[in-house]
Amino acid sequence: MPASSDEARALELVLEQEHGAILAHLVRSTDGDFASAEDALQEACAQALTTWGVEGLPAKPAAWLQLVAKRRLSDLTRQHRRAERSRQADVELDALAARQGAVIEADIVDDTLPLLFACCHPALAENARVALILNALCGMTAARIARAFLSSEATIAQRLLRAKNKIKASGIAIAVPAAIDAEQAHGTRLLAVLRALYLLFNEGYATSSGKEHIATQVCEHAILWTTRVVDAFEEAAEAKGLLALMRFQHARRDARIAGDGSVVLLRDQDRTAWRHDEIEEAARILDSAARMFQAGSYQIQAAIAYAHASAASFGETDWATITRLYDRLLSFEDSPVIRLNRCAAVFASGDAKRASALLDELEADGRLGAYSYYWATRGEICLSSGRLEEARRAFVHAGSLTENEAERRFLLGRAVAAGAP
Amino acid sequence: MRFLLLIYADEGAEATMSEAEMGAILQKHMDFATEAAAAGMALSGERLQPTSTATTLRARGGKVEVHDGPFTETKEALGGYYIIDVAGLDEAIAWARKLPQYGSIEIRPIWEMGA
């Protein structure tokens, strides 16, 4: 089949690895005009298929694509500005044209961090920020993002279009905000970036079953971009904390999913299948964050993940430490989900009475009524105290609230266990 | 690029403000204008009379009717506006933050002709 020629495969590989780097500079040079930047890149790809077939693969294919796409953009600008065309612009374009086709020595212009900050601007909807990172920086199509997010392609495409239009029309700068402006504002924007990367990772982590391949890719993209942020902001302890957190969780990927695609609970995971070298690396990152003495919620969550990752078995988990870490986490960020996790940790530490009291608080709070894990935890606590019927109903309800097929099967299994006399 | 800052506030709360509170708010608006002038930023804007003075034209079935009252009755009503000229949204947000904060400020880019 001629379409799967060498140059087509080479192009696919370059785009898979460097789509974000190629596109970011194009978006930046058009002040956020995604539509023109994407069109130009598409045209450059079409040209690559013919040119590369004749002249062979260029030394730096990504830089080649970026330069050719940039020339397309300049052509467009020239057409638009024909009336007020400046001689200077023509001279520059001619120089650019002369370089094209020849061996390109220039490296790719990497504007990915500026684009990352623009995609995570607080003026954009939170779910749009995550989709934008995947689309603009990771090169995932709306269809693939929809599959990873268990959403429809039309919904994701609409969300992306709206966010891209807003970036252009509302004057969101494709830039890393200047620290001089105010340390406060700088920190806020950085936290917004970390938050989006955290949500991105969780999307991948939570949808692991069935769609494993895409989900693992989403997690790896999140880790990659967080690593870039850590490298660029060495003074940000929370960025390191977030990276450590992701790497602890990701190190367990092989043990989390059974051969049939079902979720394996932490309790039942084969700990020899964890990537212990990655756990050690994550611990080093967390340690270097802790030495900066700027505690924050990502570092505490990473410390919780570390406590789990360093336990030889589920039974030997240091639940007392984990419970204390959750107490600490609540002082940074109070949410019913964190309270639920603390409740589960207290239960695992063997203090069923306190766990039951914490669960009652959560029930009174009422905000977790549609949250599957709340009902699953409730089921376990009821089961341990012999309230079988209540446990069975909680598991069935938990199963009806999850969209994850493997988890649903697990919960219904727990319901059967509770229902058996 | 130019942005319109639409200042929304609870008119009822404004009506019960003390003279000192109102004075502090007006002072902040004056400081805002002074700072804009010092920064060389083109600025225009006005305070509006309350919505009880509003009149609305509404097109319906090919006819235009005149109504008493604002376009919509909401708790927070448009009380004034500024037009500022800055580099982008971040700068617009930074300027809007300098205004007295007791309601909402909507930031809208101006649709420039020929842009």
Side-chain angles (χ1 to χ4, degrees):
Chain A
M1 205 164 66
S4 65
S5 57
D6 286 349
E7 52 273 14
R9 276 195 298 275
L11 180 63
E12 205 176 303
L13 195 68
V14 173
L15 288 177
E16 200 179 299
Q17 292 175 344
E18 309 212 52
H19 180 274
I22 300 168
L23 186 69
H25 177 58
L26 303 174
V27 171
R28 189 178 200 180
S29 40
T30 54
D31 285 331
D33 187 347
F34 280 84
S36 301
E38 285 165 352
D39 284 350
L41 178 54
Q42 206 142 46
E43 285 181 41
C45 290
Q47 193 174 329
L49 288 179
T50 50
T51 309
W52 296 1
V54 177
E55 296 176 9
L57 206 63
K60 293 169 182 164
W64 190 98
L65 285 168
Q66 191 179 63
L67 191 68
V68 171
K70 210 170 169 199
R71 189 182 171 232
R72 297 276 165 173
L73 281 176
S74 306
D75 285 348
L76 282 177
T77 313
R78 176 147 62 175
Q79 278 165 22
H80 286 154
R81 298 220 175 128
R82 188 155 282 164
E84 39 161 329
R85 166 174 172 180
S86 86
R87 287 183 63 84
Q88 178 58 30
D90 280 350
V91 171
E92 280 171 17
L93 285 171
D94 290 341
L96 199 58
R99 285 164 67 194
Q100 191 198 329
V103 181
I104 294 167
E105 297 293 339
D107 279 318
I108 193 162
V109 183
D110 190 347
D111 280 332
T112 45
L113 269 186
L115 185 57
L116 180 63
F117 270 86
C119 291
C120 298
H121 199 285
L124 299 170
E126 208 160 59
N127 58 11
R129 298 178 209 167
V130 175
L132 267 180
I133 294 174
L134 284 175
N135 177 252
L137 288 166
C138 310
M140 274 172 80
T141 61
R144 283 177 66 80
I145 297 169
R147 264 193 292 158
F149 285 15
L150 308 173
S151 180
S152 79
E153 183 179 346
T155 303
I156 299 291
Q158 182 60 31
R159 190 178 295 167
L160 286 169
L161 187 64
R162 191 174 175 275
K164 287 173 181 174
N165 285 341
K166 180 161 183 187
I167 287 178
K168 173 70 181 158
S170 72
I172 290 177
I174 313 295
V176 176
I180 37 159
D181 192 0
E183 203 177 306
Q184 165 82 41
H186 188 235
T188 308
R189 292 289 307 277
L190 181 59
L191 282 182
V193 169
L194 297 182
R195 169 91 187 148
L197 292 170
Y198 174 76
L199 293 176
L200 179 63
F201 184 85
N202 284 350
E203 280 292 348
Y205 196 70
T207 53
S208 292
S209 88
K211 328 271 190 264
E212 298 122 271
H213 185 56
I214 292 178
T216 306
Q217 272 189 338
V218 169
C219 288
E220 278 165 4
H221 280 306
I223 289 173
L224 178 83
W225 291 103
T226 308
T227 307
R228 300 277 317 266
V229 172
V230 165
D231 292 345
F233 298 89
E234 288 174 348
E235 76 286 8
E238 275 292 83
K240 286 186 178 166
L242 177 59
L243 180 59
L245 171 62
M246 290 176 177
R247 299 211 46 186
F248 280 129
Q249 307 286 51
H250 197 56
R252 299 204 298 250
R253 60 192 173 280
D254 297 331
R256 281 186 71 232
I257 307 294
D260 64 351
S262 60
V263 169
V264 182
L265 287 198
L266 186 58
R267 174 195 299 272
D268 303 322
Q269 286 175 15
D270 171 9
R271 294 181 183 227
T272 61
W274 292 356
R275 313 272 178 120
H276 291 278
D277 52 333
E278 292 183 22
I279 289 171
E280 276 168 37
E281 175 60 21
R284 271 195 294 276
I285 297 168
L286 178 59
D287 185 57
S288 96
R291 283 165 198 280
M292 299 167 84
F293 299 105
Q294 309 159 18
S297 76
Y298 294 126
Q299 290 167 77
I300 297 170
Q301 289 179 70
I304 293 169
Y306 186 33
H308 284 298
S310 55
S313 69
F314 189 77
E316 289 165 83
T317 306
D318 184 356
W319 292 107
T321 296
I322 292 177
T323 303
R324 270 200 308 279
L325 286 167
Y326 273 119
D327 286 335
R328 185 100 199 280
L329 183 57
L330 282 166
S331 72
F332 279 94
E333 188 185 343
D334 194 349
S335 84
V337 172
I338 297 172
R339 286 177 175 272
L340 174 63
N341 285 330
R342 177 177 62 171
C343 170
V346 168
F347 177 68
S349 75
D351 192 346
K353 216 172 149 193
R354 185 177 168 222
S356 198
L358 289 171
L359 193 74
D360 290 344
E361 277 176 27
L362 283 167
E363 188 179 14
D365 175 303
R367 277 180 291 174
L368 292 178
Y371 191 58
S372 172
Y373 187 56
Y374 165 76
W375 291 100
T377 308
R378 178 169 201 93
E380 297 296 347
I381 291 175
C382 291
L383 188 60
S384 78
S385 62
R387 287 176 286 165
L388 297 185
E389 179 52 22
E390 216 182 314
R392 193 191 60 79
R393 271 185 316 202
F395 285 128
V396 169
H397 196 50
S400 73
L401 289 171
T402 180
E403 287 181 14
N404 187 316
E405 190 49 45
E407 211 169 295
R408 180 163 32 241
R409 261 182 289 149
F410 169 80
L411 289 164
L412 294 181
R414 295 300 286 162
V416 170
Chain B
M1 60 191 286
R2 292 189 305 153
F3 290 87
L4 176 64
L5 308 183
L6 295 144
I7 300 166
Y8 290 88
D10 182 347
E11 289 183 340
E14 267 182 347
T16 59
M17 269 182 196
S18 73
E19 218 161 284
E21 284 173 306
M22 194 44 89
I25 287 169
L26 291 177
Q27 185 59 48
K28 277 205 149 185
H29 281 285
M30 288 195 286
D31 293 346
F32 182 79
T34 310
E35 203 176 331
M41 183 183 68
L43 175 75
S44 61
E46 300 291 350
R47 182 180 178 187
L48 304 179
Q49 296 280 353
T51 49
S52 57
T53 64
T55 305
T56 301
L57 294 192
R58 188 157 291 171
R60 220 168 245 157
K63 279 191 199 151
V64 176
E65 292 166 358
V66 178
H67 291 275
D68 172 42
F71 163 57
T72 46
E73 297 279 0
T74 50
K75 194 160 178 289
E76 290 192 334
L78 184 63
Y81 72 90
Y82 285 106
I83 292 177
I84 60 175
D85 194 351
V86 294
L89 182 60
D90 284 331
E91 292 77 7
I93 291 172
W95 279 103
R97 276 188 198 280
K98 298 177 200 285
L99 288 167
Q101 303 289 332
Y102 60 100
S104 309
I105 299 173
E106 184 176 325
I107 303 173
R108 296 275 293 270
I110 304 272
W111 191 310
E112 303 287 2
M113 286 305 174

